[in-house]
């Protein structure tokens, strides 16, 4: 029985990454990168359904097939209109709130995702809850919860880069939307465990070799990286693409 308002996790995924094409289908310790993300979302306390939102381009047929193989629901929509895909996910799999995840974060921590759900269910008038509003976690543990009506508003009104980044028009307007964030201490936002380059892949592969095939734990990842500066150095120079790039 559901313990509160319905919350679905929606994972945006595509194969046509500009810096590391096909990254979400790369094998990592016996499962695909996408498979890691689906597993983390499914294991998160309070998440009712997991949906992968990919494109209807033929290049993403394999992504859709892999998502289904991993047990996720699949919706397919415009390649370059990510917020429209989230709208499809919401219409085909209704929920009171949606957690936005990206398929290039294989070390996502189910406990962090569950914390967003708990915060929102305690105060369901919140429009937006995330681990990134004030960034204290390593990049790669990003999760954002959006109230369904607010997401539907973005589908209808977002323009330009906001259609790719889905939530940017929400947290950019804190006077209009009620937003809050989950933070940790001590901060570890200088670290990077998302997958966008070959150097990122080298680091994530090294972490998985040390930590094993298990859902991510941000504490374990941070602890290992703090003790192994040579691992941090693998991708320390990589710059994150900014909104609009």
């Amino acid at each position: 029985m559901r313990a509160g308002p319905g919350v679905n996790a929606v994972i945006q995924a595509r194969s046509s990454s500009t810096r590391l094409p096909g990254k979400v289908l790369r094998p990592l310790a016996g499962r695909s990168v996408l498979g890691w993300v689906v597993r983390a979302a499914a294991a998160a306390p309070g998440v009712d359904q997991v949906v992968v939102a990919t494109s209807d381009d033929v290049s993403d047929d394999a992504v859709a097939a892999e998502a289904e193989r991993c047990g996720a629901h699949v919706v397919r929509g415009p390649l370059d209109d990510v917020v429209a895909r989230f709208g499809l996910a919401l219409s085909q799999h209704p929920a009171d709130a949606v957690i936005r995840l990206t398929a290039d974060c294989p070390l996502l921590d189910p406990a962090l995702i569950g914390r967003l759900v708990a915060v929102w269910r305690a105060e369901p008038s919140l429009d937006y809850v995330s681990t990134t509003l004030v960034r204290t976690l390593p990049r790669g543990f990003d999760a954002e919860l959006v109230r369904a009506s607010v997401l539907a508003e973005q589908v209808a009104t977002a323009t330009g880069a906001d259609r790719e980044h889905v939530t940017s028009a929400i947290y950019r307007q804190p006077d209009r939307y009620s937003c809050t964030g989950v933070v940790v201490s001590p901060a570890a936002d200088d670290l990077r465990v998302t997958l966008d380059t070959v150097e990122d892949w080298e680091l994530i592969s090294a972490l998985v070799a040390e930590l094993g095939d298990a859902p991510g734990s941000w504490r374990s990842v941070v602890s290992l990286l703090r003790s192994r500066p040579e691992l941090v150095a693998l991708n320390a120079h990589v710059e994150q693409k900014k909104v609009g790039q």
Side-chain angles (χ1 to χ4, degrees):
M1 181 177 294
R2 179 178 293 168
V7 178
N8 290 348
V10 179
I11 304 164
Q12 64 186 73
R14 65 173 190 170
S15 63
S16 52
S17 166
T18 54
R19 293 206 279 188
L20 193 63
K23 62 184 179 181
V24 304
L25 296 178
R26 283 193 171 214
L28 182 64
R31 72 184 70 235
S32 66
V33 168
L34 178 59
W36 279 71
V37 181
V38 170
R39 177 179 62 174
V47 168
D48 296 299
Q49 297 183 77
V50 179
V51 183
V52 171
T54 191
S55 88
D56 51 17
D57 191 87
V58 66
S59 65
D60 285 322
D61 287 352
V63 174
E66 174 63 5
E68 289 180 347
R69 192 190 70 79
C70 294
H73 300 290
V74 177
V75 298
R76 304 186 69 172
L79 177 63
D80 296 320
D81 191 348
V82 183
V83 76
R85 285 189 255 147
F86 273 76
L88 288 171
L90 185 59
S91 65
Q92 294 180 28
H93 303 280
D96 299 295
V98 166
I99 295 176
R100 178 195 178 215
L101 305 173
T102 60
D104 54 5
C105 295
L107 302 184
L108 275 166
D109 188 333
L112 282 175
I113 300 170
R115 190 181 302 182
L116 297 187
V117 179
V119 167
W120 181 74
R121 282 186 171 155
E123 193 173 346
S125 62
L126 287 167
D127 296 319
Y128 176 83
V129 186
S130 83
T131 62
T132 58
L133 192 62
V134 176
R135 187 177 288 279
T136 57
L137 285 154
R139 192 175 292 277
F141 290 108
D142 300 9
E144 304 169 284
L145 181 148
V146 183
R147 199 156 55 88
S149 61
V150 175
L151 177 58
E153 185 177 317
Q154 302 312 302
V155 174
T157 65
T159 59
D162 293 332
R163 296 205 71 82
E164 177 184 358
H165 294 277
V166 182
T167 59
S168 48
I170 302 171
Y171 59 72
R172 201 174 58 240
Q173 301 182 79
D175 55 334
R176 179 176 181 181
Y177 298 109
S178 176
C179 305
T180 195
V182 169
V183 299
V184 302
S185 182
D189 53 305
D190 57 306
L191 302 174
R192 175 185 173 87
V193 293
T194 192
L195 177 59
D196 203 28
T197 68
V198 171
E199 295 88 348
D200 294 333
W201 177 252
E202 292 173 354
L203 174 60
I204 290 171
S205 296
L207 287 170
V208 169
E210 293 276 353
L211 298 173
D213 174 28
S217 161
W218 74 266
R219 294 181 188 277
S220 296
V221 169
V222 170
S223 178
L224 179 56
L225 289 176
R226 292 301 187 212
S227 69
R228 299 280 298 278
E230 76 279 8
L231 293 182
V232 177
L234 288 172
N235 71 345
H237 63 286
V238 175
E239 294 186 5
Q240 184 71 14
K241 291 197 296 183
K242 295 178 175 59
V243 173
Q245 286 187 319

